[in-house]
């Protein structure tokens, strides 16, 4: 499991945790955040089941969850009981959970890091994309996710 995949598992858990709290329901198995950080796949399976029982996987939430889970490689799925992941991966999971709970969107592509590697300002990237610096800023801080078309252009420019 990569740090990004651990982050995405945490993000999904956080988004679903908040959705379940909105209907005053939580996973009856008692599998809580601390356990989910140690075994992200198991935690997501349990919280996804709880969200499905409450019919919460619809509309925008369903699209966001599907998009996030699509970024996780099926090659890493365990055949047996999921082992406890490293502290570093647990940290990535916790960051993802926090972002999910707060409703922030995390792009699968780290725009800020790639942009800085190229020595490019937000304004310069925005100019090349035909958008505003404010839009680039929102993408980088996770409040808005770029469209697939914009993300494709970003990857062309930044590599």
């Amino acid at each position: 499991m990569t740090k990004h995949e651990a982050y995405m598992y945490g993000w999904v858990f956080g988004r679903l945790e908040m959705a379940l709290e909105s209907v005053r329901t939580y996973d009856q198995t008692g599998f809580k955040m601390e356990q989910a950080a140690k075994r992200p796949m198991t935690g997501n399976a349990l919280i996804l089941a709880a969200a499905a029982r409450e019919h919460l996987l619809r509309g925008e939430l369903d699209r966001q969850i599907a998009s996030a889970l699509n970024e996780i490689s099926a090659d890493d799925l365990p055949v047996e009981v999921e082992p406890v992941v490293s502290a570093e991966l647990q940290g990535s999971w916790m960051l993802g959970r926090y972002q999910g709970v707060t409703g922030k969107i995390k792009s699968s592509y780290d725009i800020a890091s790639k942009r800085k590697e190229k020595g490019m300002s937000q304004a310069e990237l925005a100019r090349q994309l035909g958008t505003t610096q404010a839009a680039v800023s929102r993408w980088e801080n996770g409040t808005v996710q770029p469209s697939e078309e914009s993300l494709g252009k970003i990857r062309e420019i930044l590599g």
Side-chain angles (χ1 to χ4, degrees):
M1 177 181 308
T2 66
K3 284 176 67 174
H4 178 72
E5 288 172 334
Y7 174 94
M8 294 310 293
Y9 277 122
W11 187 88
V12 167
F13 192 93
R15 292 292 290 135
L16 293 176
E17 186 177 24
M18 292 310 295
L20 286 165
E21 283 186 14
S22 73
V23 295
R24 300 194 185 283
T25 302
Y26 199 70
D27 178 20
Q28 288 88 9
T29 65
F31 199 81
K32 302 295 182 210
M33 176 194 63
E34 297 81 15
Q35 295 164 307
K38 292 178 183 176
R39 291 187 170 86
M41 292 175 246
T42 302
N44 273 320
L46 293 172
I47 205 161
L48 276 165
R53 280 193 302 275
E54 295 296 327
H55 308 287
L56 295 175
L57 299 174
R58 292 188 241 166
E60 182 62 16
L61 179 63
D62 184 51
R63 187 195 66 73
Q64 290 176 354
I65 299 302
S67 175
L69 292 176
N70 211 23
E71 296 182 28
I72 298 169
S73 170
D75 296 338
D76 290 335
L77 297 178
V79 177
E80 299 175 7
V81 175
E82 178 185 6
V84 172
V85 297
S86 69
E88 180 181 25
L89 292 179
Q90 289 179 43
S92 291
W93 185 94
M94 294 295 276
L95 178 61
R97 178 190 169 271
Y98 171 76
Q99 296 279 41
V101 165
T102 59
K104 291 190 176 182
I105 299 168
K106 175 65 176 169
S107 173
S108 62
Y109 184 80
D110 190 351
I111 298 168
S113 294
K114 296 288 187 179
R115 177 182 57 76
K116 289 173 186 174
E117 284 175 15
K118 295 279 186 179
M120 188 180 292
S121 68
Q122 287 181 341
E124 175 60 22
L125 178 59
R127 187 189 65 71
Q128 290 189 33
L129 292 169
T131 190
T132 65
Q133 182 271 329
V136 173
S137 176
R138 286 191 298 271
W139 295 337
E140 289 184 2
N141 72 28
T143 55
V144 176
Q145 187 169 7
S147 68
E148 290 299 319
E149 180 183 347
S150 293
L151 192 55
K153 290 178 184 178
I154 292 166
R155 285 185 171 133
E156 284 178 25
I157 294 168
L158 299 178

